[in-house]
Amino acid sequence: MSTTLRLATFNVENLFARWRFKDGVAPATANTRGWVVEQTQFEELGVDDKAITGAAVREIRADVLALQEVENVDTLKHFRAQALGGRAEYPYVAGVDGNDPRLIDVAVLSKLPITRIRSHQHLMDPMSPTAALFSRDCLEVDVEVRESESKSTTVTLFVNHFKSMKGGRPETRGKRQRQAAKVKELVTGRFGSASPGDHSFVILGDLNDYLGPDGSSGIDGLVEWDQVENVVTRLPEADQWTHFFQEGKEYRQLDYLLPSASVAAASAESVPEILRMGMPLRAARYTGPRFPGVGTDKPKASDHCPLVMDFTIA
């Protein structure tokens, strides 16, 4: 007996209910006392962006959705109520305030029961023992995809948002490399080091890097691990991009679904989808339809595309 799970990841780009940082504001300085209601260094995120982001989420029709750049669970619940049909559509929510001083966290919305949540934000960076390893968190979430009288079947998600390339890709590579290595350790710690790919899990999220032939990537040890599959490679090479970087006119894959080898094999007939209808008009490589109201830069759903695929969970 098997179950189809429609799973997605989406960096929703600053899904804030309260504030969005202006240029020139140092987040760590602004948040030395936490969020304070009198603070005026911020501007509110536009409602048009949120509406288009909601349209993108509705369009992908995911059973379970991993999100990056969510301010907190209350913000996510408000977004769910305003744009997604409320609790009846996605009754289960998982999120833990993480390490980012800008308050951007990872989270999960699910139609299916979430039975276990574990944060790994407490782990320290071995190269800088006073700093956290994960820029946000590696949120470990168990989702119950099927329940019977004898047992329940779950899939474990490892939801990530790695260190950005801001400051230079080579200069920030080491941090992502250490984050990727720790995610592998978390998986083997949970499922054993012999053949963790025999178990039902998916590593997913915004890894903030791309693969390349020059060995400059900080995530190749994870993405090319033989216990998982980067399912985006099932698409034609020209269609594998999930993010557009304006300054370099770069179309890259920064967002990943990495199912375990067993889940990937069981889902061999499935192909991922990358939804680009919410991308700004400046991402000119995409020439298909867009949601009403999308602008040259703003409003938009995000600077990332939702990535979704139907997985078979045995």
Side-chain angles (χ1 to χ4, degrees):
M1 182 179 179
S2 62
T3 301
T4 298
L5 172 68
R6 189 165 176 82
L7 176 64
T9 183
F10 187 16
N11 181 326
V12 288
E13 194 189 12
N14 294 336
L15 183 63
F16 280 17
R18 300 176 298 196
W19 311 105
R20 179 178 188 170
F21 289 91
K22 289 182 178 179
D23 292 340
V25 175
T29 302
N31 283 312
T32 52
R33 294 183 293 146
W35 183 79
V36 181
V37 70
E38 307 95 279
Q39 287 178 333
T40 58
Q41 300 110 313
F42 313 100
E43 61 183 8
E44 192 171 359
L45 183 64
V47 295
D48 291 340
D49 295 274
K50 291 181 184 178
I52 298 171
T53 303
V57 172
R58 294 194 303 273
E59 184 72 20
I60 61 178
R61 309 180 321 280
D63 299 316
V64 181
L65 175 63
L67 298 165
Q68 300 86 48
E69 298 202 15
V70 174
E71 184 181 10
N72 53 37
V73 167
D74 284 343
T75 299
L76 184 55
K77 288 181 176 179
H78 181 75
F79 174 69
R80 178 184 67 177
Q82 295 299 310
L84 304 182
R87 185 190 297 268
E89 189 67 20
Y90 284 102
Y92 304 98
V93 181
V96 179
D97 286 341
N99 294 320
D100 195 299
R102 293 169 296 167
L103 311 178
I104 59 174
D105 300 320
V106 297
V108 175
L109 281 174
S110 180
K111 299 177 184 288
L112 304 171
I114 293 173
T115 59
R116 181 178 182 271
I117 303 170
R118 184 179 182 184
S119 170
H120 296 287
Q121 63 178 273
H122 62 284
L123 297 173
M124 305 305 290
D125 189 339
M127 296 300 292
S128 180
T130 59
L133 174 60
F134 289 111
S135 307
R136 271 58 72 160
D137 197 355
C138 174
L139 191 64
E140 184 178 339
V141 176
D142 285 4
V143 177
E144 184 179 80
V145 296
R146 185 174 63 251
E147 183 178 16
S148 66
E149 293 182 1
S150 58
K151 68 171 186 176
S152 63
T153 299
T154 64
V155 61
T156 300
L157 309 179
F158 295 88
V159 184
N160 290 276
H161 186 186
F162 282 3
K163 167 67 179 174
S164 78
M165 289 184 278
K166 185 177 181 180
R169 188 180 181 221
E171 291 79 5
T172 57
R173 174 181 180 269
K175 185 80 166 185
R176 288 187 297 278
Q177 197 169 37
R178 296 190 295 276
Q179 292 170 338
K182 179 55 72 172
V183 172
K184 289 174 65 174
E185 287 184 27
L186 295 175
V187 172
T188 56
R190 175 76 185 271
F191 298 114
S193 58
S195 298
D198 292 345
H199 298 266
S200 294
F201 68 84
V202 183
I203 301 165
L204 70 171
D206 176 5
L207 303 189
N208 259 323
D209 208 342
Y210 51 89
L211 302 180
D214 55 0
S216 61
S217 176
I219 62 171
D220 51 355
L222 176 62
V223 176
E224 298 179 335
W225 187 24
D226 63 2
Q227 299 299 306
V228 301
E229 179 187 336
N230 177 16
V231 294
V232 168
T233 60
R234 298 183 181 187
L235 295 169
E237 185 174 356
D239 198 34
Q240 293 176 13
W241 62 277
T242 67
H243 178 266
F244 173 63
F245 179 54
Q246 170 71 15
E247 291 181 21
K249 303 294 182 184
E250 296 175 357
Y251 295 83
R252 304 284 192 182
Q253 182 190 359
L254 302 187
D255 306 272
Y256 295 82
L257 289 171
L258 305 175
S260 65
S262 59
V263 171
S267 313
E269 302 302 317
S270 186
V271 176
E273 303 167 43
I274 301 173
L275 181 80
R276 301 194 172 99
M277 294 172 65
M279 289 294 283
L281 298 176
R282 58 183 168 82
R285 178 183 290 184
Y286 173 67
T287 58
R290 283 178 164 86
F291 294 117
V294 169
T296 301
D297 180 47
K298 298 177 183 178
K300 61 181 181 297
S302 173
D303 54 350
H304 292 253
C305 304
L307 170 61
V308 63
M309 181 167 145
D310 294 325
F311 291 101
T312 299
I313 309 298

